[in-house]
Amino acid sequence: MRHQVAGRRLNRTSEHLKALLGNLVTALFTHEQIRTTLPKAKEARRVAERLITLAKDGTLHRRRHVARTLHDPQALAKLFSVLGPRFKARPGGYTRIVKLPPRLGDNAPMALLELVERTPRAAPTTETKDQKAGLEKSGPEDTTSPAARKAAKKKTSDPSGEEKEPRTAKAAKAKAEKAPSKGSKPASAKKKSKKDDE
């Protein structure tokens, strides 16, 4: 008979069970929510509640007592500096278990173990492609043509205003044919100078 036998063994040895629960609680304090099987979540909740209660009184003795279970210094620091003061006024019940659909592979019952008062996540910023490129939109709707947007993008990407060197030999040759050389005069100036000579 199992009279006064508390807790689940989860088919593990004592050392393995202690390490498993320590790792689950460390992940819970780091991420403030974890997804695991329902029996593991129920066992991890027992450990997490005790550790948060110890962290509410931030003495050195309590910190050393908690450090036996939590082997991650960052999780330990977060527990005593952030989570302990957060739950100072709450007399217990720091975590909740939300049941999830069973796991696809083996149909194991799954659950979400999370802290009751979690840190609010920052709202995801939705940037448009133009904003990512550094362009400001003119108004609620951008009515400029794609060619005008490309030209504006080129201007913002090259603030000096100088033309970039062409990447290929063909482009360099075409550019040289289009643009007059620096020492020569434009074609209209050449014609005028011939007329002046006559």
Side-chain angles (χ1 to χ4, degrees):
M1 291 187 221
R2 294 188 77 249
H3 295 311
Q4 296 181 347
V5 179
R8 298 164 181 81
R9 294 306 301 263
L10 300 175
N11 200 23
R12 286 165 169 80
T13 61
S14 298
E15 296 84 7
H16 190 180
L17 183 64
K18 185 179 175 185
L20 169 77
L21 294 177
N23 289 338
L24 284 173
V25 171
T26 300
L28 175 65
F29 293 152
T30 304
H31 304 291
E32 300 190 10
Q33 121 179 350
I34 56 171
R35 182 177 179 271
T36 183
T37 60
L38 185 61
K40 286 181 190 175
K42 287 180 178 180
E43 284 305 303
R45 176 177 58 179
R46 293 175 66 222
V47 177
E49 299 267 343
R50 288 183 185 143
L51 296 183
I52 292 174
T53 302
L54 290 173
K56 284 162 66 172
D57 175 26
T59 61
L60 179 62
H61 176 67
R62 296 285 172 95
R63 185 179 282 264
R64 287 178 175 167
H65 191 77
V66 171
R68 293 181 205 161
T69 306
L70 296 181
H71 300 293
D72 184 17
Q74 293 172 341
L76 184 67
K78 181 177 180 181
L79 176 63
F80 277 87
S81 62
V82 177
L83 301 179
R86 184 189 300 172
F87 293 114
K88 194 82 169 174
R90 184 180 282 269
Y94 316 111
T95 59
R96 77 166 59 97
I97 293 178
V98 180
K99 291 185 179 177
L100 298 174
R103 190 160 54 195
L104 289 178
D106 57 357
N107 207 31
M110 299 300 287
L112 191 72
L113 177 63
E114 62 183 1
L115 298 177
V116 173
E117 298 173 14
R118 288 175 43 209
T119 309
R121 271 192 185 170
T125 57
T126 54
E127 292 182 341
T128 61
K129 289 181 182 178
D130 292 339
Q131 289 171 341
K132 285 181 183 177
L135 298 176
E136 292 290 328
K137 281 199 168 188
S138 57
E141 290 183 15
D142 193 9
T143 55
T144 58
S145 65
R149 275 188 256 148
K150 277 188 179 179
K153 189 176 180 179
K154 282 183 182 178
K155 284 181 183 177
T156 57
S157 63
D158 189 17
S160 63
E162 297 174 3
E163 292 184 21
K164 292 183 178 178
E165 291 297 321
R167 292 185 180 183
T168 62
K170 281 186 179 180
K173 189 175 180 183
K175 185 178 176 183
E177 289 175 1
K178 284 182 182 178
S181 62
K182 291 181 181 178
S184 63
K185 297 179 182 177
S188 58
K190 286 181 183 177
K191 288 180 184 176
K192 286 180 182 177
S193 62
K194 284 184 181 178
K195 288 180 182 177
D196 293 339
D197 292 338
E198 293 175 359

